[in-house]
């Protein structure tokens, strides 16, 4: 509907392929190839192996997988609760309070992750709350980094759902708590699951803050990848990255399944 | 919303006692409602605003405990810092420009010159948004490194090794960031293009406009809000980008976040790191303000910009 | 005056179009040779000027779906042809293929003899007005209208003059500085027409241009379109609608479409008065179709044909040749029928089942006793003398012979 001639279209598509292939497909393909490469001196590897992949899911790397998943689940859980709570509470608060909450909750998007990590180090290295050296500093940093996204997603979801439903429920005599759990949250389910997915994905891939604060016994996958590549073990690094992508994919699939299950149960 | 709910509620109630609500009850109600927001705000304050404030405070306290502008003067004057600042801004601006051009082209093709499989490609683009950025950098080392695929291929064709050193140049960082952040521009654009009625383009063509004219006169004006919102978000994210620069590991491409990392986690120069952090945050916040402004003006939230 | 304006046109137009209907392939061939041999010899004695729009064998498929099947139509210079048909019958598809918005699976489109089947829409120079106007929201009215002229690099002064002229033509001269969102639906519609006219197209395609408007505004704009038609004597117009009033008011000829095919094509008044098929009779003017038996062999338009309905034998006007004993449909428009007391001489016995007040008339529904189960609608000016609901009545057929059409759909 834009380019009418057949040759013109062919030209545009060729250009698209020319741009898209190196920009999107190339890097992804490289990663997969590298993860299974044995000897790699030419254009393509001369031998193939699953050794890196086995290494990536074994020993310290397996520990990293578990650490990453635990961190992501905890951080995303905290961010989801805090973000949803604020989004809903902000709606019932007076306008100035609402604007302040909105600004504060959006702010972490604008602050570089390294700075969030630095802040954690500065604030929690001594004093009453000593987090430095524990896994909690990593989890706290991740939670701070993803809470803005969780809040924004849920908030946008609230904008789209009609306040009238909650009002009607209240007029029917439902207590605020009942309105929240029976009307508001169920209607927000799509946004909640989107927020959870986003928070999980972001946390799984986080490097900036983690690399500033991580203690030796709590090394996430991205940090492992960095240490590996820094030591020149790029092929193993690729395999670990691939493991990271797979783990993320599994987490997101589980979130999707959970959402489907809740919706199923509701429709019966 | 709260106001209408609380005011309207008593009105239809036929029960005499409650038709005359206690004066001040709406106020009390409002106050209680406001309290609910305190716990999460306190949490975010304690774990985000408080550390940020400490970072600012720390930047004025030298390692030996003297308070003043000493650390600032020392840090800001260092060539390392000016270099990093310059690199950060240059990389962010050029990457964003690249993302805008590339994202606009790709989105126009996907939306208006669709080919079989175009939907699959759109889905792929969405998936990339969930990937960590360092993945691109890692892949780039295989593609464009000195022993990378492109060099090997050129070598085999007898063209020598054209990309020696490319991997460690700022251009490679820019290229990697364009690669990673283009989907951030494409998503709001595709959302905006989905709302453009197809017959508008058809009528434009029937009036004699060729493809280029339709793109520049019809599509570009429609895309401006989405481009502005996607572009400012990308600028913000590229200013703060750390993973890509870290993983490419070019010695002479230092950006502000890299400097924060080097000072804070490698040499443990907290005050110096804090100074750089404050500058970086100020830069981002200024941009973020702009982004929020554009964002609220164009209603980009509904166009799917919110990541 | 408006209604009168179309009548002479429709009376004048038929000879040529009628011929082109009957011998479509032949004419198309002639036009092709004329264009082929006559190139470069403009003064040459061409037997017929090629039609402004010449569509032959046009077929459009979307995968398994056939949106248009072997469609033929010629539109002469200055002629208006309405494409009429139910939703999904392929009307818009014809227009899109002529405008070049889609590539037909088979068939040709020629504009004054030039084959444009594979030409891009921006090279065809056709004016198009679509249902939702598709005004460019970020341009003022004047810029919208100037869009086509600028694309053609018409000089500035000339552009300004032609924009003013086009806006004048649709009565929107005072609105040049407005944005589309600041206009009402009817005004947007006029701007869309002005924009299409500004490029002075020899062919104008209108796809349900009035369907987004309310009834009163639609009537207004219909009058304007008639005036516009008179102002543009050389422009060939294809007008898509599913509203028969628009088709009757504007068109010289009507093409009736159904299920991706052209089913009937004729001069407007002839198609209305003597519909050739059951479908067209019902679609154009909502005629009653009463099953009848042909009494004796008759030819098309035979003066002495007769048909038997129930116990009644009535004179009929056969739309094609019928054999004695064949079942056919009598076409009777609701306003030509009369309701009388049950058992009145020469009436069809029936039962009154419903009445609906429509202001000027009452719409009565009756069930015929024989053939039983056939519903007949009948418009009467007054309810005086009409029996109560549920009572038997007699239906009087019009004095002029009713048209007799074959049963079933024409395929
Ligand atoms: N892009 C498409 N893909 C598949 N089928 C299509 C497409 N466009 C149209 N069709 C089908 O082609 C047929 C004809 O469509 P068309 O738009 O020409 O109908 P129409 O007569 O204009 O109807 P209306 O009066 O509702 O506008 C319809 O059955 C429609 O479903
Ligand atoms: Mg249509």
């Amino acid at each position: 509907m834009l380019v009418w001639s057949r040759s013109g279209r062919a030209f545009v598509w060729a250009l698209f392929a020319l741009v898209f292939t190196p920009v999107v497909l190339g890097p992804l393909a490289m990663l997969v190839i590298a993860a299974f490469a044995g000897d790699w001196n030419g254009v393509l590897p001369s031998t193939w192996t699953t050794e890196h992949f086995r290494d990536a899911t074994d020993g310290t790397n397996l520990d990293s997988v578990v650490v990453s998943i635990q961190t992501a689940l905890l951080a995303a859980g905290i961010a989801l609760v805090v973000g949803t709570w604020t989004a809903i509470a902000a709606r019932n608060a007076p306008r100035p309070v609402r604007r302040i909450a909105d600004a504060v909750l959006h702010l972490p998007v604008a602050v570089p992750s390294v700075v969030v990590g630095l802040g954690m180090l500065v604030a929690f290295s001594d004093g009453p709350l000593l987090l430095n050296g524990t896994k909690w500093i990593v989890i706290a940093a991740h939670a701070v980094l993803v809470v803005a996204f969780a809040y924004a997603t849920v908030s946008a979801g609230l904008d789209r759902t009609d306040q009238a439903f909650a009002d009607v429920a209240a007029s029917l005599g439902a207590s605020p708590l009942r309105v929240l759990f029976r009307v508001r949250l169920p209607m927000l389910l799509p946004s909640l699951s989107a927020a959870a997915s986003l928070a999980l994905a972001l946390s799984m891939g986080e490097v900036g803050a983690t690399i500033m604060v991580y203690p030796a016994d709590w090394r996430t996958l991205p940090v492992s990848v960095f240490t590996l590549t820094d030591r020149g073990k790029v092929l193993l690094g690729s395999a670990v990255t691939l493991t990271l992508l797979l783990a993320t994919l599994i987490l997101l699939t589980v979130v999707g399944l959970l959402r489907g299950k809740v919706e199923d149960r509701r429709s019966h | 919303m709260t106001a209408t709910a609380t005011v309207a509620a008593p009105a239809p109630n036929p029960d005499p006692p409650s038709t005359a609500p206690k004066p001040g009850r709406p106020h009390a109600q409002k106050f209680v409602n406001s309290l609910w927001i305190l716990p999460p705000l306190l949490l975010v304050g304690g774990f985000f605003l408080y550390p940020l404030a400490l970072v600012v405070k720390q930047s004025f306290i030298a390692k030996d405990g003297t308070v003043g502008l000493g650390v600032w003067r020392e840090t800001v004057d260092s060539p390392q810092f000016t270099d990093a600042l310059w690199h950060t801004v240059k990389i962010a601006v050029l990457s964003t420009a690249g993302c805008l051009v590339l994202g606009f082209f790709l989105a126009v093709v996907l939306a208006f010159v669709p080919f079989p499989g175009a939907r699959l490609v759109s889905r792929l683009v969405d998936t990339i948004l969930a990937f960590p950025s360092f993945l691109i950098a890692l892949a780039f080392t295989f593609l464009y490194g000195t022993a990378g695929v492109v060099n090997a291929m050129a070598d085999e064709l007898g063209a020598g090794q054209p990309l020696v050193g490319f991997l460690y140049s700022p251009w490679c960082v820019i290229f990697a960031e364009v690669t990673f952040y283009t989907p951030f521009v494409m998503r709001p654009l595709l959302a905006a293009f989905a709302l453009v009625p197809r017959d508008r383009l058809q009528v434009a063509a029937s009036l004699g406009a060729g493809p280029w004219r339709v793109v520049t006169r019809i599509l570009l004006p429609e895309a401006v809000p989405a481009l502005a919102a996607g572009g400012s978000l990308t600028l913000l994210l590229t200013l703060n980008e750390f993973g890509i620069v870290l993983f490419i590991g070019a010695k002479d491409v230092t950006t502000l976040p890299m400097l924060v990392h080097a000072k804070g986690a490698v040499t443990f120069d907290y005050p110096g790191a804090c100074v750089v952090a404050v500058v970086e945050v100020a830069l981002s916040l200024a941009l973020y303000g702009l982004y929020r402004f554009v964002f609220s003006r164009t209603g980009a939230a509904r166009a799917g910009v919110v990541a | 005056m408006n209604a009168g304006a179309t009548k002479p046109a429709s009376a004048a137009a038929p000879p040529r179009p009628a011929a082109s209907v009957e011998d479509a392939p032949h004419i198309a061939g002639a036009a092709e040779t004329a264009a082929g041999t006559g190139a470069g010899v403009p003064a040459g004695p061409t037997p017929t000027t090629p039609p402004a729009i010449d569509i032959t064998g046009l077929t459009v498929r979307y995968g398994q779906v056939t949106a248009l099947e072997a469609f033929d139509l010629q539109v002469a210079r200055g002629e208006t042809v309405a494409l009429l048909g139910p939703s999904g019958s392929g009307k818009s598809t014809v227009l899109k293929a002529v405008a070049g918005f889609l590539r037909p699976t088979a068939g040709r489109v020629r504009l004054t003899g030039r084959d444009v089947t594979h030409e891009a829409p921006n090279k065809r120079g056709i004016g198009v007005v679509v249902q939702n106007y598709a005004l460019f929201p970020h341009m003022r009215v004047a810029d919208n209208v100037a869009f086509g002229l600028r694309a053609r690099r018409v000089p500035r002064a000339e552009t300004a003059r032609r924009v003013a002229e086009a806006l004048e033509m649709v009565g929107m001269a005072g609105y040049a500085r407005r944005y589309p969102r600041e206009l009402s639906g009817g005004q947007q519609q006029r701007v869309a027409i002005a924009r299409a006219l500004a490029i002075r197209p020899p062919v104008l395609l209108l796809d349900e241009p009035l369907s987004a408007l309310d009834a009163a505004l639609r009537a207004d704009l219909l009058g304007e379109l008639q005036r516009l038609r008179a102002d543009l004597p050389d422009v060939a117009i294809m007008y898509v609608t599913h509203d028969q009033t628009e088709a009757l008011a504007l068109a010289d000829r009507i093409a009736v479409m159904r299920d991706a095919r052209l089913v009937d094509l004729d001069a407007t008044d002839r198609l209305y008065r003597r519909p050739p098929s059951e479908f067209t009779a019902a679609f154009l003017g909502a005629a009653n179709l009463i099953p009848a038996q042909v009494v004796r062999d008759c030819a098309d338009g035979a003066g002495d044909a007769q048909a038997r309905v129930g116990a009644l034998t009535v004179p009929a006007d056969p739309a094609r040749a019928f054999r004695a004993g064949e079942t056919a449909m009598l076409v009777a428009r609701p306003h030509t029928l009369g309701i009388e007391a049950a058992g009145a001489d020469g009436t069809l016995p029936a039962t009154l089942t419903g009445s609906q007040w429509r202001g000027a008339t009452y719409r009565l529904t009756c069930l015929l006793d024989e053939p039983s189960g056939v519903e007949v609608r009948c418009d009467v000016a007054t309810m005086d003398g009409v029996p109560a609901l549920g009572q038997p009545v007699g239906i009087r057929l019009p004095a002029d012979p009713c048209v007799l059409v074959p049963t079933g759909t024409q395929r």
Side-chain angles (χ1 to χ4, degrees):
Chain A
M1 62 211 85
L2 184 62
V3 181
W4 302 97
S5 73
R6 220 167 267 198
S7 57
R9 249 188 321 236
F11 173 73
V12 170
W13 288 340
L15 200 62
F16 184 93
L18 203 71
V19 172
F20 193 76
T21 312
V23 166
V24 179
L25 290 182
L28 291 184
M30 271 314 115
L31 212 67
V32 178
I33 292 173
F36 293 101
D39 288 310
W40 194 354
N41 296 314
V43 175
L44 284 178
S46 43
T47 58
W48 300 91
T49 174
T50 55
E51 191 188 322
H52 302 310
F53 205 71
R54 256 182 284 129
D55 275 358
T57 50
D58 201 40
T60 53
N61 290 322
L62 183 64
D63 294 345
S64 280
V65 173
V66 177
V67 163
S68 260
I69 290 178
Q70 283 178 334
T71 309
L73 286 177
L74 280 169
I78 294 169
L80 200 60
V81 170
V82 172
T84 310
W85 188 325
T86 322
I88 291 178
R91 243 134 257 262
N92 295 326
R95 214 179 151 72
V97 178
R98 201 156 125 197
R99 299 192 66 141
I100 292 171
D102 204 55
V104 170
L105 266 287
H106 270 123
L107 211 55
V109 180
V111 176
S113 54
V114 232
V115 175
V116 169
L118 181 69
M120 291 280 160
L121 285 181
V122 172
F124 303 116
S125 289
D126 48 23
L129 201 57
L130 183 86
L131 296 181
N132 196 359
T134 72
K135 62 180 175 182
W136 294 106
I137 194 166
V138 179
I139 292 163
H142 280 220
V144 165
L145 282 170
V146 297
V147 76
F149 292 95
Y151 171 79
T153 309
V154 175
S155 209
L158 271 177
D159 285 344
R160 281 193 298 268
T161 53
D162 199 340
Q163 170 73 20
F165 287 101
D167 288 348
V168 167
S171 78
L172 291 169
S175 67
L177 213 61
R178 178 176 275 278
V179 172
L180 177 66
F181 281 101
R182 287 301 159 101
V183 180
R184 278 205 154 132
L185 289 181
M187 288 186 74
L188 271 180
L189 191 66
S191 310
L192 290 178
S193 92
S197 306
L198 190 65
L200 284 172
L202 288 173
S203 171
M204 288 294 283
E206 213 297 315
V207 257
T210 322
I211 214 162
M212 296 286 290
V213 302
Y214 79 96
D217 61 346
W218 199 258
R219 200 165 67 173
T220 62
L221 274 174
V223 177
S224 291
V225 176
F226 177 67
T227 24
L228 284 172
T229 54
D230 208 33
R231 278 187 273 145
K233 297 188 176 175
V234 276
L235 297 183
L236 182 53
S238 303
V240 176
T241 308
L242 208 59
T243 316
L244 169 68
L245 290 189
L246 286 180
T248 311
L249 208 68
I250 290 171
L251 280 183
L252 298 193
T253 312
V254 169
V255 171
L257 287 179
L258 278 181
R259 177 191 162 180
K261 210 163 194 179
V262 173
E263 276 176 349
D264 263 5
R265 221 179 33 208
R266 202 188 296 161
S267 63
H268 287 316
Chain B
M1 243 170 262
T2 331
T4 54
T6 43
V7 171
N13 197 332
D15 205 9
S18 50
T19 31
K22 284 156 237 139
R25 189 183 159 265
H27 274 285
Q29 183 71 42
K30 236 180 188 171
F31 184 69
V32 170
N33 280 343
S34 307
L35 287 184
W36 277 104
I37 207 169
L38 280 182
L41 275 190
L42 283 178
L43 267 180
V44 176
F47 282 90
F48 174 61
L49 295 182
Y50 168 66
L52 217 54
L54 283 188
V55 165
V56 177
K57 185 180 145 205
Q58 183 77 244
S59 73
F60 293 103
I61 304 173
K63 260 185 181 162
D64 54 13
T66 50
V67 179
L69 286 174
V71 190
W72 273 84
R73 219 168 287 133
E74 193 181 314
T75 312
V76 172
D77 278 348
S78 72
Q80 210 185 3
F81 173 83
T82 22
D83 238 32
L85 182 60
W86 165 237
H87 268 131
T88 308
V89 173
K90 182 175 91 174
I91 290 175
V93 169
L94 289 180
S95 304
T96 304
C99 288
L100 288 176
V101 173
L102 205 63
F104 184 73
F105 169 71
L106 294 179
V108 165
V109 174
L110 281 183
F112 299 114
V113 200
F115 46 88
R119 303 219 5 198
L120 200 74
V121 170
S122 306
R123 292 283 296 272
L124 188 65
V125 166
D126 271 351
T127 319
I128 289 179
L129 289 172
F131 286 173
S133 60
F134 69 80
L135 180 154
I136 299 294
L138 193 56
F140 265 41
T141 57
F142 297 118
L143 269 174
Y144 307 114
T146 311
V149 171
V150 173
N151 273 333
M153 218 184 279
D155 218 13
E156 249 168 51
L157 295 175
Q161 298 202 335
L163 288 184
V164 175
F166 170 71
L167 186 64
Y168 300 118
S169 70
W171 294 108
C172 186
V173 175
I174 292 171
F175 189 21
E177 293 197 4
V178 168
T179 299
F180 184 73
Y181 286 106
T182 295
F184 287 77
V185 175
M186 285 174 74
R187 200 155 70 150
L189 269 180
L190 284 173
F193 284 159
L195 300 178
V196 177
R198 297 304 186 254
D199 50 10
R200 211 177 276 162
L201 307 189
Q202 296 182 339
V203 166
S206 78
L207 290 168
W212 181 249
R213 198 177 187 84
V214 174
V215 167
T216 53
R217 300 294 158 88
I218 311 286
L219 289 182
L220 202 54
E222 302 253 8
V224 163
L227 278 176
S232 26
L233 179 66
T234 307
L235 192 59
L236 188 69
L237 294 176
T238 47
L239 266 183
N240 295 345
E241 179 54 45
F242 175 71
I244 288 178
V245 192
L246 177 76
F247 270 74
I248 286 186
K251 294 263 174 328
D252 22 327
V253 187
T254 315
T255 60
L256 290 180
M258 282 295 283
L259 204 56
V260 173
H261 174 240
K263 283 184 187 288
V266 182
T267 59
F268 298 105
D269 170 16
Y270 281 1
C274 288
V275 169
V276 182
V278 170
V279 173
E280 168 82 34
V281 168
L283 202 62
S284 311
L285 278 188
L287 245 171
Y288 180 66
L290 185 76
Y291 167 64
R292 291 278 289 174
F293 177 71
V294 171
F295 181 79
S296 62
R297 284 284 302 274
T298 58
R302 258 152 287 142
V305 183
V306 172
Chain C
M1 183 248 150
N2 278 337
T6 50
K7 285 307 162 203
S10 63
R16 183 175 38 189
S20 62
V21 182
E22 306 299 317
D23 329 299
H26 168 71
I27 293 275
E32 200 164 38
T33 36
T37 56
V41 198
T46 39
T48 46
T49 44
I53 309 171
D54 180 3
I55 306 168
T56 46
L58 199 64
T59 301
V60 176
R61 291 203 180 87
Y62 297 103
Q64 296 295 308
V65 184
T66 300
L68 194 65
E69 180 76 45
F71 184 90
D72 293 292
L73 180 68
Q74 283 75 35
V75 183
R77 213 175 75 151
E79 191 191 14
T80 308
V81 172
L83 286 183
L84 191 65
S87 186
S89 55
K91 309 179 296 290
S92 300
T93 305
V94 174
L95 238 60
K96 284 180 181 155
V98 173
F101 300 154
L102 56 80
R103 190 180 292 273
T105 314
R108 305 256 133 228
V109 176
R110 293 185 189 81
L111 301 177
T112 44
R114 181 170 60 105
D115 189 334
V116 297
T117 314
H118 297 294
E119 208 166 73
N122 52 331
K123 303 277 190 284
R124 297 192 186 196
I126 291 179
V128 181
V129 178
V130 297
Q131 186 172 351
N132 297 313
Y133 324 135
L135 295 180
F136 307 131
H138 56 282
M139 294 182 196
R140 294 178 191 277
V141 164
D143 296 321
N144 260 286
V145 177
F147 184 87
L149 301 172
R150 295 200 178 125
R152 287 177 165 63
R153 306 194 187 287
V154 172
R156 229 165 234 257
E158 168 82 357
T159 300
R161 207 174 50 69
R162 274 163 71 174
V163 167
E165 179 191 286
L167 285 176
E168 189 68 48
M169 210 164 195
V170 296
M172 289 291 293
Y175 297 83
R177 303 287 304 156
R178 297 249 195 128
Y179 281 101
R181 61 173 176 276
E182 299 164 350
L183 300 177
S184 73
Q187 291 167 338
Q188 291 184 23
Q189 217 282 330
R190 287 162 208 245
V191 174
I193 294 176
R195 183 176 61 179
L197 291 179
I199 61 172
R200 302 210 176 128
V203 167
L204 189 59
L205 307 177
L206 300 149
D207 192 352
E208 310 201 22
L210 306 185
S211 65
L213 305 174
D214 66 60
L217 200 53
R218 206 181 304 177
D220 270 4
L221 275 169
L222 193 53
E224 298 240 354
L225 283 176
Q226 285 178 318
R227 191 180 48 71
L228 209 60
R229 166 75 280 186
D231 288 349
L232 301 166
D234 290 335
V235 177
I237 297 182
M238 273 177 89
Y239 188 99
V240 166
T241 175
H242 50 229
D243 178 2
Q244 51 139 338
T245 350
E246 291 170 26
L248 293 175
L250 284 172
D252 300 321
R253 285 190 299 151
I254 295 179
V256 181
M257 296 192 61
R258 180 187 190 185
D259 295 342
R261 282 165 196 275
L262 178 66
V263 285
D264 286 314
L265 171 66
D266 209 341
T268 303
D269 51 350
R270 205 149 14 139
L271 202 66
Y272 184 82
R273 275 203 285 272
R274 289 196 69 216
S277 68
E278 198 184 312
F279 179 76
T280 299
F283 199 78
L284 192 62
N288 290 301
L289 295 162
I290 306 169
Q293 221 86 46
V294 179
V295 169
R296 62 169 174 272
D297 285 3
C298 57
D300 179 7
D304 56 350
Q306 288 198 319
R308 170 172 286 278
V309 190
L312 214 62
T313 302
V314 293
D317 173 11
R320 69 157 165 86
F322 288 100
R323 262 204 296 284
E326 210 176 323
T327 305
M329 291 287 182
L330 272 183
V331 177
R333 308 227 172 244
H335 67 270
T336 64
L337 296 176
I339 293 284
E340 294 184 11
D345 212 23
T347 61
L348 291 170
T351 311
L352 186 64
T353 57
S355 93
Q356 213 179 60
W357 185 38
R358 301 191 154 192
T361 59
Y362 293 86
R363 160 71 48 106
L364 305 179
T365 35
C366 310
L367 273 183
L368 288 187
D369 291 355
E370 199 185 346
S372 70
V374 175
E375 196 182 73
V376 173
R377 283 146 298 143
C378 170
D379 290 344
V380 296
T382 157
M383 290 296 277
D384 292 348
V386 174
L389 284 190
Q391 296 300 308
V393 293
I395 297 177
R396 176 156 316 276
L397 293 176
D400 289 335
C402 291
V403 176
L404 201 60
V405 297
T407 57
T409 57
Q410 185 193 319
R411 274 281 173 161

